[in-house]
Amino acid sequence: MSDVYAEPTTGAAPTGPATLARYTTLCLGGPAGRLETASSAEEIVQKVREADARDEPILVLAGGSNVVIGDQGFPGTVVLLRSQGVQAIAEDGDAVTVRVEAGETWDDLVATTIERGWSGLECLSGVPGSAGATPIQNVGAYGQEVAETITAVQAYDRSHGEVVRIAAADCGFAYRGSIFKYSDRWVVLSVDFRLTRSPLSGPVRYAELARALGVEVGDRVPLADARATVLRLRAGKGMVLDADDPDTRSVGSFFTNPVLEREAYELLRERAADLGEPPSWPGAGDVVKISAAWLIDKAGFGKGHLGPEGVAISSKHTLALTNRSGTASTAALVALAREIRDGVHDRFGVTLHPEPVLINCVI
């Protein structure tokens, strides 16, 4: 069985009555065997149980901003999540715990938290997707990750046929990963976030964001200022959905930043000696995270690099692969991704790994 959870609805133009391309930000993907819509946690569980009873593979899809679906589509049941709701369920001093239904649009949630003076998600403004998708890959941007504020995830456990509450400590959060990301077992129903009542952001950790705000790393700024600046930075990279901008017909960052052991990092530095110091960040233990965008660019794949059928690297950011033509195939996007991955490995000896979930296609 296959049960993969992707992120929320995008406004992508339909390409046919049965194709999953209409539900993905890439506007790619073949037909679904069966398409079901669930507007509540109870309906999600019901639809999944019914598909399990039919012994069909399941794809749970809230909109497709972090998924690449093959041209053959998905042969089983696709459950579209459309559950909505944001509720404060607990308060403790300056902290408030908010329960968010899985189908809630993520950026709408961030905007709501800022309006209500709740700090903790502001640097994740503009991220396409649903609230229920964020724990799956531990969504992060501009110095924040959802793992920092999630206290629990409510999920349907297909192995035992019951709804369970999984504490954050048991979610296996890691860089762009969790126990949910490639699991057949769990279907996320809602997520609990613990936020702080404050008109100010958390400490600004990301140097680019600090520069754009005109503050020092570690400073706090008004929530609305943080959100506006993050949205502006993301828009400049084609990372905010815009029907008039073909660069946003993507899944955002296509490759994760490689995390290298110290020995591998030193070998990279040797191979890149003629290019200057690779941008890097120290990780836990003796590991170093490297900029995938820098590796791609320095391997000869610049902004706007064209692949077959009108797929291309974004004209704004080398880490995004786009279906610029709007008529390309998934096979064409996969071919471009392979070209980039192999070119980076040949030049630097570093293997890039895709960030989105791949359905019936292989990079």
Side-chain angles (χ1 to χ4, degrees), residues 41 83 99-103 131-132 135 152-155 187-193:
S83 55
R99 179 161 296 167
V100 186
E101 297 303 310
V153 174
Q154 287 71 43
V187 179
V188 174
L189 303 175
S190 64
V191 187
D192 293 352
F193 297 90

Side-chain angles (χ1 to χ4, degrees), residues 168-187:
D170 298 320
C171 290
F173 289 128
Y175 173 59
R176 300 301 175 266
S178 70
I179 64 170
F180 311 109
K181 187 165 185 179
Y182 298 110
S183 175
D184 284 344
R185 182 173 179 180
W186 313 105
V187 179

